[in-house]
Amino acid sequence: MKYSIYKEILKYNQLKLLNLFDLDPLSKKIGFGDRKFWAWKTIDFSNATFQSGVNALAISVKLDIAIDKVLYLEIIDKAIKAIPELTNRSNSLNEAFPNENSYCVTALVSFDVLFCIDLLKDEIDENKFKEYLFIVKPLISYLHKNKEKHAIISNHLATAAASFLLWEKLTGKLKNTYKKVLEIIYKYQSSEGWYLEYEGPDHGYQTLCVHYLSIIYAETNDQELKQSLKKSFNYLHYFIHPDGTIGGLYGSRNTE
């Protein structure tokens, strides 16, 4: 495999990622990824976003750069099985405060777990495959039944669309649901090419948005999506700085 700076970054940060998870077999929080909650106890609820680390661990296994493949598969198993403990009665997840019912984080974790399952389907047995899908199912149900109403946040919608697509790929259910979410993104895409983030373009989040949309395109070869992405890239390339960074204080969300 040819050299990739992203591969090197992943290799460099693996130990940091591994240290996020509670692996104490006697702990009631085993598999939790929010170290501030289970270890330092500086917050009184767990941010479910950290369960998304299973994606990077799965990629490490797939690229054969895992420090210990057996350990990684064990951590992935514990992290996925911990998700029901973090799930609200509404089948949603929290990030910033208890009972937040975050559409964004529910989409994020469901996508990353499904991406992990898809990558490792040859590494896990059929029972685990079914168990993991059963754990993700309530999250997908929440996304299907609810909409993010406080604003149009395109990167959140793209994450949900990618989740629906992977759910369809792995289960055969909710066919073409992802297309309905894409239609909202298209509706609010500017004629200049940027995707709406609250009240305008945000160049940092646009890179995240096109990440998820590109994954969908790679799976579907959707030509309407291709044209949308082309418009996005034609806009975005004007904001790449000479040192390769992007974004900053001029976006609607000030991200980099």
Side-chain angles (χ1 to χ4, degrees), residues 150-164:
H150 64 281
I152 298 297
I153 311 171
S154 294
N155 84 87
H156 294 184
L157 294 170
T159 312
S163 297
F164 286 134

Side-chain angles (χ1 to χ4, degrees), residues 124-140:
I124 56 179
D125 60 37
E126 184 177 356
N127 289 334
K128 279 192 176 181
F129 179 82
K130 291 180 178 179
E131 182 180 13
Y132 293 166
L133 289 178
F134 182 78
I135 289 170
V136 178
K137 184 177 180 179
L139 308 183
I140 295 294

Side-chain angles (χ1 to χ4, degrees), residues 214-236:
S214 297
I215 287 172
I216 296 172
Y217 174 71
E219 289 283 348
T220 64
N221 197 31
D222 185 312
Q223 292 304 299
E224 185 177 8
L225 176 54
K226 181 179 181 179
Q227 294 307 311
S228 175
L229 284 167
K230 278 187 173 181
K231 287 171 60 179
S232 171
F233 293 137
N234 286 338
Y235 169 82
L236 198 56

